[in-house]
Structures are given as C-alpha cells and as structure tokens.
Amino acid sequence: MLGLVLWFDDKTGSGLVWCEDQGPLACIRPKETVLEGIDRLEQGQLIRCTVATRDEHRTVMIVAGIEGGIPPEDLRDILTQKRGSLGKSPLTVVA
C-alpha cells in the first residue's frame, strides 16, 4: 500500500501515515515498525508500506520503500487548507 508520512519524530521513532485506502491514519511505532533498507523517514515522503490493526489502531508494520515526496511546506499547506478557501465547488445539485 502507498502511504504519505504526515509527521515523523526522529527522536522517538514515532509518526503518522495517511494511506491510499483512505482509512484511519496509521501509526509508526518504534517497536513495531520495521524500515527495510531505509535509514530514516521524513515528513512528506511517499512510502510503500504494510499496515495492520493492533489494539484497535492501525499500525505501519513494514516500510518497504520510498517513492518520492512532497516538500514539507507544500504538505503543510495541503493539510491546513480551509474548506472556505477552496472556492466554489465544481459540483452542482441536479435532483
């Protein structure tokens, strides 16, 4: 599955990932997440990962590769953009 690293703390090894299945955010946990052939993670990275549900929370189990990334400032803008600033919706009610 593809995921986007929304937040990652090098000191604790913890973070959050948004997954392409659009389910709940998945946690990166230092004792449960295995980085295969990767030295570190950074905010905005697009990763290939395996996700499982543990203790009612989604957890990233394996990060198998990095696909690219979004600059942190662009990611921050996307995540904090308010609905009102998106302009008029392109959808029209027809029924």
Side-chain angles (χ1 to χ4, degrees):
M1 172 179 324
L2 290 176
L4 180 65
V5 179
L6 299 177
W7 170 80
F8 186 75
D9 183 350
D10 271 332
K11 292 177 184 172
T12 64
S14 302
L16 286 175
V17 174
W18 175 84
C19 298
E20 69 179 324
D21 67 358
Q22 310 237 351
L25 296 178
C27 298
I28 297 171
R29 297 178 177 171
K31 293 182 181 178
E32 296 182 42
T33 303
V34 176
L35 303 180
E36 291 185 347
I38 301 167
D39 293 331
R40 61 187 305 241
L41 293 174
E42 294 180 6
Q43 181 182 32
Q45 284 179 321
L46 186 61
I47 60 173
R48 289 198 178 276
C49 59
T50 303
V51 176
T53 300
R54 298 273 173 109
D55 301 324
E56 299 182 19
H57 299 286
R58 283 172 39 123
T59 301
V60 176
M61 302 307 294
I62 300 171
V63 177
I66 297 175
E67 300 295 320
I70 296 174
E73 55 277 356
D74 291 346
L75 179 61
R76 187 172 26 261
D77 289 344
I78 291 167
L79 294 174
T80 60
Q81 193 172 34
K82 296 191 187 303
R83 182 173 172 81
S85 66
L86 296 176
K88 186 177 176 183
S89 172
L91 302 176
T92 304
V93 176
V94 294

